């Protein structure tokens, strides 16, 4: 007979405790114990507490490989949920075993916990009981997390229509939910009281627009308001604004963009030509062909308009990027002039504003919604459905799935629905944004999702003052180094990757459900080597953390001054020069109510409503072995060094680029 010590940790937050009856069964390699009640004197399983219980066993159990937690009714208490952090078992001989849990146990059920060591399916090949446990766990998860088609041509999503249908492990915490609700309500009340959500008139004066965001001005919003007309700031935003992924090096002008050397000669300086600058690699292009034929919205009973512009940019000897030519259609001709910096003030400003509107439409639909939120949901679902808790890749990725399902279900029920904010504030509306995402999906590539490959493919590896690129490469490298250490700790050869049937099923499901089986995208349908696995996992962690951070967190900074990032345009693109004035400009950009709604949503989603975890923050100890723990510590130290370098550089910049500071990056796409 021996006595086992069982320590049970309850989560340290509101409503984590339970009044249910909790029993335990210890399963060893030799025997399993009887089911025994965990009951000390007084109230057990209190928030933030680790409580110890003693269990006597009449037989030797062997090494403890499973713990069964039984949550059952107690007396007259109603059904509740309990957040268990972990269970630790100490054998009569002093051997300690840790069983990570870190999840809500809802209602009455039995939950089996695996010992914390990372185990692939082939590691359990000679233990039928553990193989069965893996299969049963995944079977239950697949019932809980089912797929459905969101819209033809887009990644499949969770088969849930409302957040109340989510399980507790997918939902926002009470803190996050409350803060988000309060921020949303307070902002909406302010805007309504000032009449900014009900007035459908055009703005009478440009200066009046600042009244909409007077409750939250910052040095960056004020800088944008002061400098938004300047060509240098217009060019700066292609590098370090909220959507720094558009431009690419231009070595030959497109046939449908007939810019001549004579047109742009005054803006290139003396002693050079357009041909010379193309050869030197100083000419860049932003082409919004993807917007061609996208259905335009109707807002406040007025037809909106969408253009598909092309913008040519030049890197000056000073290193500043400036626009030198803009065409507002993909079809040149007499009614589609090429606008130049030498045109009238309002002609040139309106042309740049059309480009900024195109930037917003592509940013929101493709780069932000599709390539972070929807793709990350597909990764999250496949991870939950195909990888058991004991799988090392599951342990690695679980922190990066936090709140992904909640925020996406919330977005579909509030934003991406008929009559939602997208329909009331964006020139594309729900129909157009869905078309745009489908176009983006069909043209998406694996290269575009892998940061270093994308930088090289766009030819922007040597453009000066590209802080987004510099910081992004550092973050990618840090993630890659961390992932390499974890993967190589468990997968000692390419054969191990090929033999991991759960891993291969995971990749296959992501390819089929997330990327719709599009072989032309270059997305892997299977993984053949350790190096392929490292790149694939690095890509996802980067996309759900850093990629979402730089696309999301600056939206209010650069969009609060609406003319810099207009969500809609109320008149068609000009077909001739000389017809634009201040009055016609104000009649083209969004009206007062559309401005108010856009700034409302920017403010709500850019201000993290509490309960966030910065990149590399892993308070839940899913890894119990020493080497993965050391790799996590090294990763955190690497990120801290990058953060220090970025903050030091930013001290000398007129606009600090902080969106890829690790302290500003959240582990997951949660807002």
């Amino acid at each position: 007979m021996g006595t086992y010590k069982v320590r049970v940790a309850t989560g340290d937050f509101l409503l984590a405790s339970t009044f249910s009856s909790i029993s335990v069964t210890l399963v060893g390699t030799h025997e399993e114990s009887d089911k025994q009640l965990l009951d000390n004197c007084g109230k057990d399983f209190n928030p933030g507490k680790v409580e110890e219980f003693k269990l006597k066993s009449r037989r030797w159990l062997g090494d403890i490989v499973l713990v069964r937690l039984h949550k059952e009714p107690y007396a007259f208490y109603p059904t509740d949920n309990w957040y268990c952090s972990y269970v630790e078992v100490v054998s009569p001989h002093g051997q300690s075993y840790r069983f990570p849990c870190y999840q809500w146990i809802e209602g009455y059920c039995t939950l089996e916990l695996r010992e914390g060591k990372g185990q692939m399916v082939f590691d359990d090949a000679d233990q039928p009981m553990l193989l069965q446990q893996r299969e049963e766990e995944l079977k239950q998860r697949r019932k809980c997390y089912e797929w459905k088609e969101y819209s033809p041509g887009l990644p499949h999503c969770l088969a849930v229509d409302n957040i109340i249908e989510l399980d507790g492990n997918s939902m926002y915490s009470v803190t996050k939910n409350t803060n988000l609700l309060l921020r949303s309500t307070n902002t909406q009340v302010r805007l309504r009281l000032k009449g900014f959500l009900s007035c459908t008139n055009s703005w009478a004066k440009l200066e009046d627009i600042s009244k909409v965001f007077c409750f939250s001005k910052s040095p960056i919003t004020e800088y944008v308001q002061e400098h938004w007309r300047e060509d240098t700031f217009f060019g700066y935003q292609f590098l370090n604004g909220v959507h720094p992924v558009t431009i690419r090096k231009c070595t030959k002008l497109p046939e449908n963009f007939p810019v001549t050397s004579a047109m742009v000669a005054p803006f290139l300086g003396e002693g050079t030509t357009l041909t010379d600058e193309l050869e030197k690699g100083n000419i860049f292009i932003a082409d919004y062909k993807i917007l061609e034929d996208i259905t335009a919205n109707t807002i406040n009973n007025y037809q909106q308009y969408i253009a598909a512009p092309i913008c040519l940019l030049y890197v000056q000897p000073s290193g500043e990027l400036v626009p030198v030519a803009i065409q507002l259609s993909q079809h040149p001709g007499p009614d589609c002039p090429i606008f130049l910096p030498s045109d009238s003030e309002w002609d040139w400003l309106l042309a740049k504003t059309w480009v900024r509107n195109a930037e917003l439409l592509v940013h929101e639909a493709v780069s932000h919604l599709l390539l972070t939120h929807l793709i990350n949901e597909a990764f999250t679902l496949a991870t939950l459905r195909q990888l058991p808790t004991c799988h090392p890749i599951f342990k690695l990725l679980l922190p990066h799935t936090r709140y992904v399902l909640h925020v996406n279900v919330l977005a579909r029920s509030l934003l991406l629905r008929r009559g939602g904010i997208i329909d009331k504030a964006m020139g594309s509306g729900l129909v157009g944004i869905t078309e745009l995402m489908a176009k983006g999906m069909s043209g998406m590539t694996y290269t575009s999702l892998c940061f270093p490959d994308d930088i090289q493919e766009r030819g922007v590896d040597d453009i000066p003052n590209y802080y987004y690129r510099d910081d992004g490469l550092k973050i990618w490298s840090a993630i890659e180094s961390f992932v390499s250490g974890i993967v190589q700790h468990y997968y000692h050869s390419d054969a191990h990757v090929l033999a991991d049937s759960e891993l291969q099923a995971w990749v296959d499901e992501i390819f089929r459900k997330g990327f719709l089986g599009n072989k032309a995208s270059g997305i892997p349908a299977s993984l053949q080597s350790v190096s392929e696995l490292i790149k694939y996992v690095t890509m996802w962690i980067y996309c759900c953390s850093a990629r979402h951070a730089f696309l999301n967190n600056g939206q209010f900074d650069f969009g609060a001054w609406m003319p810099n990032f207009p969500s809609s345009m109320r008149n068609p693109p000009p077909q001739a020069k000389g017809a634009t004035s201040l009055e016609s400009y104000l009649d083209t950009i969004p009206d007062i109510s559309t401005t108010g709604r856009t700034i409302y949503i920017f403010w709500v989603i850019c201000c993290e409503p509490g309960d966030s975890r910065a990149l590399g923050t892993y308070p839940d100890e899913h890894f119990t072995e020493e080497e993965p723990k050391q790799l996590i510590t090294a990763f955190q130290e690497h990120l801290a060094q990058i953060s220090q370098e970025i903050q030091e550089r930013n001290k000398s910049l007129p606009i600090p680029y902080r969106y890829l500071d690790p302290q500003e990056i959240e582990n997951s796409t949660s807002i």
Side-chain angles (χ1 to χ4, degrees):
M1 179 179 289
T3 300
Y4 288 83
K5 296 177 182 178
V6 177
R7 301 185 183 112
V8 181
T10 298
D12 188 15
F13 42 82
L14 189 64
L15 304 178
S17 64
T18 183
F19 287 97
S20 298
S21 172
I22 305 296
S23 302
V24 68
T25 303
L26 305 181
V27 181
T29 53
H30 185 66
E31 292 278 357
E32 69 176 63
S33 72
D34 297 329
K35 174 183 170 183
Q36 298 187 45
L37 180 67
L38 300 180
D39 186 21
N40 289 330
C41 183
K43 171 73 170 67
D44 296 317
F45 313 111
N46 298 293
K49 300 297 184 181
V50 178
E51 291 155 311
E52 183 174 291
F53 305 87
K54 294 182 178 180
L55 275 69
K56 292 185 178 181
S57 176
R58 297 180 179 179
R59 50 193 179 273
W60 177 63
L61 304 180
D63 289 328
I64 309 301
V65 293
L66 273 179
V67 163
R68 295 194 189 106
L69 287 176
H70 311 276
K71 186 170 179 286
E72 298 168 315
Y74 176 69
F76 54 84
Y77 290 103
T79 305
D80 61 10
N81 302 327
W82 172 43
Y83 190 92
C84 176
S85 295
Y86 63 84
V87 175
E88 189 173 26
V89 178
V90 180
S91 74
H93 303 293
Q95 180 68 40
S96 180
Y97 306 90
R98 193 177 177 96
F99 299 81
C101 183
Y102 301 105
Q103 60 182 293
W104 289 99
I105 304 176
E106 299 182 312
Y108 303 128
C109 63
T110 295
L111 178 67
E112 291 189 334
L113 302 179
R114 286 286 297 263
E115 198 273 327
K117 182 180 179 181
Q119 296 281 96
M120 280 83 77
V121 64
F122 49 77
D123 294 322
D124 290 340
D126 58 349
Q127 300 186 66
M129 176 186 63
L130 296 182
L131 285 175
Q132 183 180 1
Q133 185 274 331
R134 300 175 84 104
E135 293 171 2
E136 286 298 318
E137 181 183 13
L138 292 178
K139 182 178 178 181
Q140 292 300 316
R141 290 238 209 99
R142 288 166 189 156
K143 287 181 180 179
C144 183
Y145 304 103
E146 295 184 336
W147 294 99
K148 75 172 182 180
E149 183 183 63
Y150 168 55
S151 180
L154 295 182
H156 291 202
C157 65
L158 178 65
V160 161
D161 296 321
N162 194 292
I163 56 173
I164 62 173
E165 301 174 52
L166 292 170
D167 70 294
N169 293 302
S170 301
M171 296 181 72
Y172 278 174
S173 66
V174 174
T175 300
K176 195 178 189 76
N177 225 8
T178 303
N179 288 351
L180 181 63
L181 181 61
L182 288 175
R183 180 179 295 278
S184 173
T185 303
N186 289 342
T187 304
Q188 195 169 75
V189 168
R190 287 180 184 179
L191 293 173
R192 285 194 182 281
L193 289 176
K194 294 180 180 180
F196 291 133
L197 297 181
S198 57
C199 181
T200 59
N201 296 335
S202 297
W203 291 97
K205 297 184 295 183
L206 278 172
E207 308 85 71
D208 290 344
I209 298 173
S210 63
K211 296 177 182 178
V212 183
F213 63 97
C214 62
F215 59 86
S216 185
K217 288 187 176 181
S218 70
I220 295 181
T221 60
E222 291 185 346
Y223 186 96
V224 172
Q225 183 178 351
E226 183 179 350
H227 297 276
W228 71 285
R229 298 183 191 224
E230 299 170 8
D231 287 354
T232 51
F233 182 67
F234 178 86
Y236 167 89
Q237 292 182 85
F238 283 100
L239 300 177
N240 304 305
V242 72
H243 192 225
V245 299
T246 305
I247 64 164
R248 56 181 58 244
K249 183 173 288 186
C250 181
T251 56
K252 181 182 178 182
L253 291 176
E255 292 183 2
N256 65 335
F257 193 26
V259 177
T260 66
S261 189
M263 285 181 183
V264 298
F267 322 118
L268 302 181
E270 297 181 2
T272 189
T273 66
L274 179 59
T275 301
D276 292 339
E277 296 303 323
L278 285 167
E279 291 176 354
K280 292 177 184 177
N282 290 330
I283 302 297
F284 293 82
I285 194 168
D287 191 343
Y288 301 90
K289 181 176 175 60
I290 192 173
L291 290 171
E292 193 172 26
D293 300 324
I294 295 297
T295 301
N297 193 17
T298 299
I299 300 177
N300 296 327
N301 297 319
Y302 286 95
Q303 179 63 49
Q304 309 296 299
Y305 296 88
I306 295 174
I310 309 174
C311 180
L312 200 67
L313 301 115
Y314 167 58
V315 178
Q316 297 176 323
S318 64
E320 293 179 302
L321 183 71
V322 295
V324 294
I326 295 173
Q327 180 178 288
L328 298 180
S329 168
Q330 296 289 313
H331 306 284
D335 59 352
C336 182
I338 295 176
F339 292 91
L340 305 169
S342 55
D343 292 335
S344 72
E345 174 189 2
W346 291 107
D347 277 352
W348 182 235
L349 185 62
L350 181 61
K352 290 192 293 182
T353 303
W354 273 105
V355 173
R356 294 298 300 157
N357 170 249
E359 273 281 280
L360 180 139
L361 296 178
V362 176
H363 165 272
E364 295 297 352
V366 180
S367 300
H368 186 193
L369 281 173
L370 173 64
L371 298 183
T372 59
H373 283 272
L374 299 189
I375 291 298
N376 288 338
E377 182 173 0
F379 270 92
T380 296
L381 280 173
T383 301
L384 294 170
R385 288 169 50 87
Q386 300 297 340
L387 300 179
T389 305
C390 62
H391 198 290
I393 300 301
F394 181 88
K395 292 173 179 286
L396 174 62
L397 296 181
L398 186 62
H400 303 284
T401 69
R402 189 171 186 249
Y403 298 149
V404 169
L405 299 181
H406 185 115
V407 72
N408 280 11
V409 173
L410 191 65
R412 284 193 289 273
S413 61
L414 295 181
L415 304 182
L416 297 170
R417 64 175 178 84
R418 292 283 186 182
I421 292 180
I422 295 295
D423 253 359
K424 293 180 178 179
M426 284 187 63
S428 54
L430 182 59
V431 173
I433 203 172
T434 305
E435 294 172 352
L436 193 48
M437 286 192 290
K439 268 193 176 185
M441 190 69 186
S442 64
M444 183 207 55
T445 64
Y446 192 38
T447 294
S448 68
L449 296 178
C450 296
F451 190 88
D453 298 346
D454 177 62
I455 293 296
Q456 188 173 18
E457 193 270 335
R458 289 192 291 119
V460 291
D461 43 326
D462 57 359
I463 191 170
N465 305 317
Y466 202 4
Y467 310 121
Y468 154 75
R469 173 203 59 211
D470 300 340
D471 297 350
L473 287 172
K474 291 179 180 179
I475 297 295
W476 177 279
S477 177
I479 295 172
E480 184 179 48
S481 177
F482 171 53
V483 170
S484 296
I486 295 290
V487 169
Q488 290 171 354
H489 176 70
Y490 293 100
Y491 295 89
H492 302 142
S493 69
D494 295 344
H496 284 163
V497 174
L498 290 167
D500 190 344
S501 57
E502 292 170 339
L503 181 78
Q504 298 297 340
W506 172 67
V507 177
D508 176 67
E509 185 159 86
I510 293 168
F511 179 69
R512 289 184 295 105
K513 298 294 187 178
F515 298 102
L516 308 182
N518 181 10
K519 295 180 181 179
S521 67
I523 301 290
S526 63
L527 297 174
Q528 307 298 312
S529 65
V530 171
S531 61
E532 287 184 7
L533 174 57
I534 290 169
K535 182 175 183 178
Y536 192 75
V537 173
T538 300
M539 177 271 293
W540 182 35
I541 293 178
Y542 184 90
C543 285
C544 70
S545 57
R547 182 181 178 89
H548 182 257
F550 74 72
L551 289 168
N552 180 77
N553 297 354
Q555 290 180 94
F556 184 81
D557 288 341
F558 289 92
W561 178 251
M562 178 270 290
N564 185 61
F565 208 39
S567 63
S568 189
M569 302 292 269
R570 295 181 292 149
N571 283 316
Q575 297 182 338
K577 296 185 179 184
T580 308
S581 63
L582 170 59
E583 184 178 1
S584 65
Y585 183 86
L586 291 170
D587 285 339
T588 299
I589 61 176
D591 63 31
I592 294 174
S593 67
T594 305
T595 302
R597 291 189 183 99
T598 305
I599 292 176
Y600 159 73
I601 194 63
F602 282 168
W603 174 243
V604 171
I605 66 178
C606 290
C607 297
E608 172 52 44
D611 190 21
S612 62
R613 292 178 181 174
L615 180 62
T617 302
Y618 304 124
D620 300 343
E621 295 184 3
H622 293 283
F623 287 105
T624 59
E625 304 107 305
E626 278 307 309
E627 185 166 340
K629 289 182 179 180
Q630 292 171 5
L631 290 167
I632 289 172
T633 300
F635 182 41
Q636 293 168 340
E637 292 173 350
H638 195 170
L639 292 173
Q641 178 62 36
I642 293 171
S643 179
Q644 184 178 352
E645 293 170 1
I646 290 173
Q647 291 175 22
E648 188 64 31
R649 178 207 60 205
N650 284 345
K651 291 178 182 178
S652 61
L653 300 179
I655 307 179
Y657 187 75
R658 51 184 173 78
Y659 307 112
L660 284 173
D661 181 340
Q663 293 184 9
E664 304 287 334
I665 299 172
E666 195 168 357
N667 262 335
S668 59
T669 303
S670 70
I671 188 65

